[in-house]
mmCIF file of all heavy atoms in Angstrom:
data_model
loop_
_atom_site.group_PDB
_atom_site.id
_atom_site.type_symbol
_atom_site.label_atom_id
_atom_site.label_comp_id
_atom_site.label_asym_id
_atom_site.label_seq_id
_atom_site.Cartn_x
_atom_site.Cartn_y
_atom_site.Cartn_z
ATOM 1 N N GLY A 42 -119.663 83.158 -202.815
ATOM 2 C CA GLY A 42 -119.280 83.409 -204.202
ATOM 3 C C GLY A 42 -120.211 84.337 -204.956
ATOM 4 O O GLY A 42 -120.560 84.055 -206.103
ATOM 5 N N ASP A 106 -134.027 80.283 -214.872
ATOM 6 C CA ASP A 106 -133.742 81.317 -213.871
ATOM 7 C C ASP A 106 -132.480 81.016 -213.083
ATOM 8 O O ASP A 106 -132.178 81.696 -212.115
ATOM 9 C CB ASP A 106 -134.938 81.484 -212.921
ATOM 10 C CG ASP A 106 -135.207 80.218 -212.129
ATOM 11 O OD1 ASP A 106 -134.533 79.189 -212.376
ATOM 12 O OD2 ASP A 106 -136.090 80.243 -211.255
ATOM 13 N N GLY A 107 -131.729 80.001 -213.448
ATOM 14 C CA GLY A 107 -130.467 79.774 -212.750
ATOM 15 C C GLY A 107 -129.908 78.390 -212.982
ATOM 16 O O GLY A 107 -130.660 77.420 -213.157
ATOM 17 N N ALA A 108 -128.581 78.318 -212.972
ATOM 18 C CA ALA A 108 -127.940 77.010 -213.070
ATOM 19 C C ALA A 108 -128.197 76.207 -211.796
ATOM 20 O O ALA A 108 -128.217 74.981 -211.818
ATOM 21 C CB ALA A 108 -126.441 77.177 -213.305
ATOM 22 N N LYS A 109 -128.414 76.910 -210.684
ATOM 23 C CA LYS A 109 -128.723 76.194 -209.447
ATOM 24 C C LYS A 109 -130.021 75.416 -209.601
ATOM 25 O O LYS A 109 -130.094 74.235 -209.275
ATOM 26 C CB LYS A 109 -128.826 77.182 -208.283
ATOM 27 C CG LYS A 109 -129.001 76.520 -206.943
ATOM 28 C CD LYS A 109 -129.162 77.579 -205.860
ATOM 29 C CE LYS A 109 -128.751 77.053 -204.512
ATOM 30 N NZ LYS A 109 -128.766 78.112 -203.491
ATOM 31 N N SER A 110 -131.047 76.105 -210.121
ATOM 32 C CA SER A 110 -132.335 75.418 -210.318
ATOM 33 C C SER A 110 -132.163 74.254 -211.288
ATOM 34 O O SER A 110 -132.681 73.161 -211.062
ATOM 35 C CB SER A 110 -133.395 76.359 -210.886
ATOM 36 O OG SER A 110 -133.160 77.680 -210.541
ATOM 37 N N CYS A 112 -129.447 72.512 -212.184
ATOM 38 C CA CYS A 112 -128.671 71.395 -211.596
ATOM 39 C C CYS A 112 -129.543 70.635 -210.601
ATOM 40 O O CYS A 112 -129.508 69.408 -210.535
ATOM 41 C CB CYS A 112 -127.449 71.907 -210.846
ATOM 42 S SG CYS A 112 -126.197 72.633 -211.888
ATOM 43 N N TYR A 132 -119.760 71.385 -205.257
ATOM 44 C CA TYR A 132 -120.842 72.378 -205.100
ATOM 45 C C TYR A 132 -122.032 71.626 -204.485
ATOM 46 O O TYR A 132 -122.513 70.651 -205.071
ATOM 47 C CB TYR A 132 -121.174 72.914 -206.500
ATOM 48 C CG TYR A 132 -122.328 73.882 -206.608
ATOM 49 C CD1 TYR A 132 -122.418 75.020 -205.807
ATOM 50 C CD2 TYR A 132 -123.323 73.683 -207.571
ATOM 51 C CE1 TYR A 132 -123.465 75.906 -205.952
ATOM 52 C CE2 TYR A 132 -124.372 74.578 -207.723
ATOM 53 C CZ TYR A 132 -124.437 75.687 -206.913
ATOM 54 O OH TYR A 132 -125.473 76.570 -207.059
ATOM 55 N N TYR A 135 -125.562 69.557 -206.055
ATOM 56 C CA TYR A 135 -125.658 68.243 -206.706
ATOM 57 C C TYR A 135 -125.979 67.162 -205.673
ATOM 58 O O TYR A 135 -126.789 66.266 -205.901
ATOM 59 C CB TYR A 135 -124.362 67.848 -207.423
ATOM 60 C CG TYR A 135 -123.658 68.928 -208.211
ATOM 61 C CD1 TYR A 135 -122.264 69.015 -208.204
ATOM 62 C CD2 TYR A 135 -124.361 69.849 -208.970
ATOM 63 C CE1 TYR A 135 -121.595 69.985 -208.923
ATOM 64 C CE2 TYR A 135 -123.694 70.832 -209.689
ATOM 65 C CZ TYR A 135 -122.314 70.896 -209.658
ATOM 66 O OH TYR A 135 -121.648 71.864 -210.352
ATOM 67 N N CYS A 184 -117.801 69.660 -212.801
ATOM 68 C CA CYS A 184 -117.888 71.122 -212.788
ATOM 69 C C CYS A 184 -116.517 71.700 -213.118
ATOM 70 O O CYS A 184 -115.582 71.573 -212.335
ATOM 71 C CB CYS A 184 -118.344 71.578 -211.397
ATOM 72 S SG CYS A 184 -118.316 73.372 -211.173
ATOM 73 N N ASN A 188 -115.853 74.854 -208.889
ATOM 74 C CA ASN A 188 -116.160 75.418 -207.585
ATOM 75 C C ASN A 188 -116.161 74.216 -206.641
ATOM 76 O O ASN A 188 -116.932 73.287 -206.888
ATOM 77 C CB ASN A 188 -117.541 76.075 -207.601
ATOM 78 C CG ASN A 188 -117.932 76.594 -206.232
ATOM 79 O OD1 ASN A 188 -117.116 76.665 -205.336
ATOM 80 N ND2 ASN A 188 -119.209 76.941 -206.078
ATOM 81 N N ASP A 216 -121.274 71.186 -215.429
ATOM 82 C CA ASP A 216 -121.580 72.546 -214.970
ATOM 83 C C ASP A 216 -120.417 73.459 -215.344
ATOM 84 O O ASP A 216 -119.322 73.337 -214.795
ATOM 85 C CB ASP A 216 -121.780 72.501 -213.445
ATOM 86 C CG ASP A 216 -122.221 73.837 -212.867
ATOM 87 O OD1 ASP A 216 -122.084 74.866 -213.539
ATOM 88 O OD2 ASP A 216 -122.700 73.830 -211.705
ATOM 89 N N ALA A 218 -120.613 76.915 -215.205
ATOM 90 C CA ALA A 218 -121.075 78.243 -214.786
ATOM 91 C C ALA A 218 -119.942 79.268 -214.778
ATOM 92 O O ALA A 218 -120.188 80.467 -214.894
ATOM 93 C CB ALA A 218 -121.722 78.165 -213.403
ATOM 94 N N TYR A 219 -118.693 78.799 -214.644
ATOM 95 C CA TYR A 219 -117.555 79.729 -214.553
ATOM 96 C C TYR A 219 -116.730 79.767 -215.831
ATOM 97 O O TYR A 219 -115.577 80.199 -215.828
ATOM 98 C CB TYR A 219 -116.669 79.344 -213.356
ATOM 99 C CG TYR A 219 -117.422 79.463 -212.057
ATOM 100 C CD1 TYR A 219 -118.013 78.354 -211.464
ATOM 101 C CD2 TYR A 219 -117.597 80.700 -211.449
ATOM 102 C CE1 TYR A 219 -118.752 78.464 -210.298
ATOM 103 C CE2 TYR A 219 -118.329 80.828 -210.284
ATOM 104 C CZ TYR A 219 -118.901 79.701 -209.714
ATOM 105 O OH TYR A 219 -119.631 79.838 -208.562
ATOM 106 N N ARG A 246 -125.033 76.324 -217.937
ATOM 107 C CA ARG A 246 -124.311 77.597 -218.013
ATOM 108 C C ARG A 246 -125.169 78.694 -217.382
ATOM 109 O O ARG A 246 -126.376 78.542 -217.274
ATOM 110 C CB ARG A 246 -124.051 77.974 -219.473
ATOM 111 C CG ARG A 246 -123.039 77.109 -220.161
ATOM 112 C CD ARG A 246 -121.821 77.924 -220.507
ATOM 113 N NE ARG A 246 -121.012 77.192 -221.448
ATOM 114 C CZ ARG A 246 -120.428 77.743 -222.528
ATOM 115 N NH1 ARG A 246 -120.620 79.016 -222.811
ATOM 116 N NH2 ARG A 246 -119.685 77.021 -223.319
ATOM 117 N N SER A 247 -124.520 79.797 -217.044
ATOM 118 C CA SER A 247 -125.242 80.845 -216.321
ATOM 119 C C SER A 247 -124.714 82.222 -216.672
ATOM 120 O O SER A 247 -123.531 82.383 -216.960
ATOM 121 C CB SER A 247 -125.073 80.600 -214.825
ATOM 122 O OG SER A 247 -125.648 81.650 -214.100
ATOM 123 N N PHE A 248 -125.603 83.219 -216.641
ATOM 124 C CA PHE A 248 -125.168 84.599 -216.792
ATOM 125 C C PHE A 248 -124.733 85.189 -215.446
ATOM 126 O O PHE A 248 -124.308 86.331 -215.380
ATOM 127 C CB PHE A 248 -126.295 85.463 -217.393
ATOM 128 C CG PHE A 248 -126.617 85.086 -218.827
ATOM 129 C CD1 PHE A 248 -127.609 84.166 -219.124
ATOM 130 C CD2 PHE A 248 -125.891 85.642 -219.877
ATOM 131 C CE1 PHE A 248 -127.895 83.802 -220.429
ATOM 132 C CE2 PHE A 248 -126.175 85.286 -221.199
ATOM 133 C CZ PHE A 248 -127.164 84.367 -221.480
ATOM 134 N N SER A 249 -124.865 84.406 -214.378
ATOM 135 C CA SER A 249 -124.593 84.936 -213.034
ATOM 136 C C SER A 249 -123.181 85.462 -212.895
ATOM 137 O O SER A 249 -122.962 86.597 -212.480
ATOM 138 C CB SER A 249 -124.818 83.851 -211.983
ATOM 139 O OG SER A 249 -126.192 83.692 -211.745
ATOM 140 N N LYS A 250 -122.210 84.601 -213.214
ATOM 141 C CA LYS A 250 -120.822 85.004 -213.007
ATOM 142 C C LYS A 250 -120.254 85.630 -214.271
ATOM 143 O O LYS A 250 -119.336 86.432 -214.214
ATOM 144 C CB LYS A 250 -119.995 83.792 -212.552
ATOM 145 C CG LYS A 250 -120.599 83.033 -211.360
ATOM 146 C CD LYS A 250 -120.719 83.892 -210.108
ATOM 147 C CE LYS A 250 -121.738 83.361 -209.103
ATOM 148 N NZ LYS A 250 -121.347 82.228 -208.331
ATOM 149 N N PHE A 254 -125.291 88.456 -213.161
ATOM 150 C CA PHE A 254 -126.739 88.228 -213.072
ATOM 151 C C PHE A 254 -127.156 87.465 -211.807
ATOM 152 O O PHE A 254 -128.245 86.905 -211.780
ATOM 153 C CB PHE A 254 -127.222 87.438 -214.300
ATOM 154 C CG PHE A 254 -127.600 88.296 -215.484
ATOM 155 C CD1 PHE A 254 -126.735 89.266 -215.975
ATOM 156 C CD2 PHE A 254 -128.826 88.129 -216.125
ATOM 157 C CE1 PHE A 254 -127.086 90.051 -217.076
ATOM 158 C CE2 PHE A 254 -129.195 88.902 -217.218
ATOM 159 C CZ PHE A 254 -128.319 89.865 -217.702
ATOM 160 N N THR A 255 -126.316 87.439 -210.774
ATOM 161 C CA THR A 255 -126.707 86.638 -209.591
ATOM 162 C C THR A 255 -128.035 87.112 -209.003
ATOM 163 O O THR A 255 -128.816 86.304 -208.517
ATOM 164 C CB THR A 255 -125.606 86.661 -208.508
ATOM 165 O OG1 THR A 255 -125.278 88.021 -208.223
ATOM 166 C CG2 THR A 255 -124.350 85.932 -208.953
ATOM 167 N N ARG A 258 -130.977 86.854 -212.430
ATOM 168 C CA ARG A 258 -131.396 85.476 -212.653
ATOM 169 C C ARG A 258 -131.645 85.121 -214.122
ATOM 170 O O ARG A 258 -132.727 85.342 -214.678
ATOM 171 C CB ARG A 258 -132.681 85.123 -211.842
ATOM 172 C CG ARG A 258 -132.663 85.454 -210.376
ATOM 173 C CD ARG A 258 -131.480 84.914 -209.629
ATOM 174 N NE ARG A 258 -131.327 83.476 -209.741
ATOM 175 C CZ ARG A 258 -130.127 82.861 -209.767
ATOM 176 N NH1 ARG A 258 -129.003 83.543 -209.707
ATOM 177 N NH2 ARG A 258 -130.076 81.556 -209.879
ATOM 178 N N CYS A 259 -130.625 84.586 -214.731
ATOM 179 C CA CYS A 259 -130.796 83.995 -216.056
ATOM 180 C C CYS A 259 -129.659 83.012 -216.298
ATOM 181 O O CYS A 259 -128.497 83.306 -215.976
ATOM 182 C CB CYS A 259 -130.806 85.078 -217.144
ATOM 183 S SG CYS A 259 -131.437 84.463 -218.732
ATOM 184 N N ALA A 260 -130.002 81.858 -216.823
ATOM 185 C CA ALA A 260 -129.029 80.804 -217.087
ATOM 186 C C ALA A 260 -129.562 79.970 -218.236
ATOM 187 O O ALA A 260 -130.641 80.261 -218.771
ATOM 188 C CB ALA A 260 -128.841 79.946 -215.844
ATOM 189 N N TYR A 343 -111.971 81.263 -208.097
ATOM 190 C CA TYR A 343 -111.728 80.697 -206.772
ATOM 191 C C TYR A 343 -110.274 80.313 -206.588
ATOM 192 O O TYR A 343 -109.654 79.744 -207.496
ATOM 193 C CB TYR A 343 -112.606 79.458 -206.547
ATOM 194 C CG TYR A 343 -114.083 79.800 -206.566
ATOM 195 C CD1 TYR A 343 -114.939 79.255 -207.510
ATOM 196 C CD2 TYR A 343 -114.603 80.707 -205.644
ATOM 197 C CE1 TYR A 343 -116.282 79.588 -207.538
ATOM 198 C CE2 TYR A 343 -115.944 81.055 -205.670
ATOM 199 C CZ TYR A 343 -116.778 80.492 -206.618
ATOM 200 O OH TYR A 343 -118.102 80.837 -206.640
HETATM 201 N N1 PLP B 501 -123.026 76.105 -210.471
HETATM 202 C C1 PLP B 501 -121.975 76.356 -209.690
HETATM 203 C C2 PLP B 501 -120.806 75.461 -209.723
HETATM 204 C C3 PLP B 501 -121.994 77.447 -208.819
HETATM 205 O O1 PLP B 501 -120.960 77.682 -208.018
HETATM 206 C C4 PLP B 501 -123.122 78.285 -208.787
HETATM 207 C C5 PLP B 501 -123.216 79.453 -207.900
HETATM 208 O O2 PLP B 501 -122.446 79.737 -207.048
HETATM 209 C C6 PLP B 501 -124.185 77.978 -209.612
HETATM 210 C C7 PLP B 501 -124.115 76.876 -210.444
HETATM 211 C C8 PLP B 501 -125.436 78.782 -209.555
HETATM 212 O O3 PLP B 501 -125.618 79.581 -210.638
HETATM 213 P P1 PLP B 501 -126.947 80.443 -210.797
HETATM 214 O O4 PLP B 501 -126.709 81.770 -210.153
HETATM 215 O O5 PLP B 501 -127.131 80.532 -212.274
HETATM 216 O O6 PLP B 501 -128.069 79.718 -210.143
#
Side-chain angles (χ1 to χ4, degrees):
D106 63 355
K109 186 183 205 174
S110 333
C112 292
Y132 176 52
Y135 318 141
C184 173
N188 176 12
D216 185 343
Y219 297 97
R246 290 246 194 137
S247 175
F248 293 93
S249 282
K250 309 299 159 76
F254 272 51
T255 53
R258 309 307 304 146
C259 195
Y343 297 118

